[in-house]
Amino acid sequence: MNFSKKYHILKRMLANPKMTARQQMDAWHYRDALMSKTIDEKAFTKYAKRLFNTSFKIITTSPVLSEYVLRFNDISNEEKRDFGQRFLNILTAQHNLSSVHLNLIDNQDDLGGDEARYAPSLNLIGVWKGSYTLNSINSFMCVLLHEFTHHIYEHNPKFGPISTSKIKAVVEQGYIGWTDNHKEPIEAPALFVEEYLNKHDFTYALISKIKQKTV
């Protein structure tokens, strides 16, 4: 039985108003077991590699973005926001998505205490102005691609790291309480992208290529 059929069984179980407490607990365990099948390292690697290469090309072929990268530690937060918005405009267009708006937030409480957060109904990525993610191009790229992955899940899952049926199930179930975010279906691929960029020295490769082109 494929994932989609199993998920429809789960939805019928959860929709039963006459479930006993025992049946409800069994349904929750079934849900957790089924959602864990959306963690697919092979698929995540393929997705992260594609984002790495796409982002690399977007930045290195844009004189404006390349210049921002070279001066990143010295530019203002507003210029960092401009860099991020320009980058996201190109990235979303390449994935047949409406543009996502990038906003710098004064009060971290507006983001639920997070450094950054994606609001799907608003197509908005908010980043706290005091966040460490603004301190380096590497951290900033990680957060942009992390939140962009949530945007993919919500608005064009065919570009995501797993099958569309699994992504739709993940979005419907939302956050289901795993204490380890790497096992949380909606967070796992976004965290994997960050780790992939770090593991493969995205920033070093990016700056090296930009400097090579300017020589």
Side-chain angles (χ1 to χ4, degrees), residues 12-137:
R12 287 199 298 271
M13 291 169 64
L14 295 173
N16 180 6
K18 297 182 180 180
M19 271 200 303
T20 64
R22 175 68 186 183
Q23 288 173 328
Q24 189 175 57
M25 185 174 295
D26 288 342
W28 287 342
H29 286 317
Y30 183 59
R31 177 197 63 180
D32 291 356
L34 186 59
M35 288 299 102
S36 69
K37 295 184 183 300
T38 63
I39 310 300
D40 186 337
E41 187 167 332
K42 184 177 180 180
F44 288 0
T45 300
K46 183 178 179 181
Y47 171 76
K49 183 178 181 180
R50 176 163 57 83
L51 272 190
F52 182 108
N53 292 335
T54 300
S55 301
F56 189 90
K57 185 175 181 180
I58 288 173
I59 295 172
T60 57
T61 56
S62 167
V64 174
L65 295 181
S66 293
E67 180 64 21
Y68 270 142
V69 167
L70 294 178
R71 298 189 301 111
F72 194 83
N73 291 341
D74 299 318
I75 62 178
S76 67
N77 277 357
E78 186 53 39
E79 288 174 305
K80 291 174 182 178
R81 191 208 65 81
D82 184 57
F83 164 82
Q85 187 65 68
R86 288 171 182 266
F87 170 76
L88 287 169
N89 287 347
I90 300 171
L91 187 63
T92 52
Q94 290 185 358
H95 288 78
N96 298 328
L97 292 162
S98 57
S99 181
V100 60
H101 182 66
L102 178 63
N103 198 10
L104 298 185
I105 308 298
D106 291 314
N107 190 345
Q108 191 177 16
D109 291 340
D110 293 339
L111 299 173
D114 293 334
E115 303 289 327
R117 177 167 285 196
Y118 171 66
S121 61
L122 301 174
N123 286 355
L124 173 68
I125 294 174
V127 179
W128 176 43
K129 285 183 177 179
S131 173
Y132 72 90
T133 62
L134 293 170
N135 293 342
S136 71
I137 185 62

Side-chain angles (χ1 to χ4, degrees), residues 119-172:
S121 61
L122 301 174
N123 286 355
L124 173 68
I125 294 174
V127 179
W128 176 43
K129 285 183 177 179
S131 173
Y132 72 90
T133 62
L134 293 170
N135 293 342
S136 71
I137 185 62
N138 189 71
S139 296
F140 195 46
M141 286 301 302
C142 281
V143 79
L144 291 180
L145 294 179
H146 179 119
E147 304 303 338
F148 174 77
T149 297
H150 294 325
H151 190 54
I152 284 281
Y153 263 46
E154 290 282 350
H155 296 290
N156 202 344
K158 74 177 184 179
F159 284 107
I162 54 177
S163 66
T164 299
S165 62
K166 287 185 177 182
I167 287 180
K168 288 182 177 178
V170 167
V171 171
E172 285 182 4

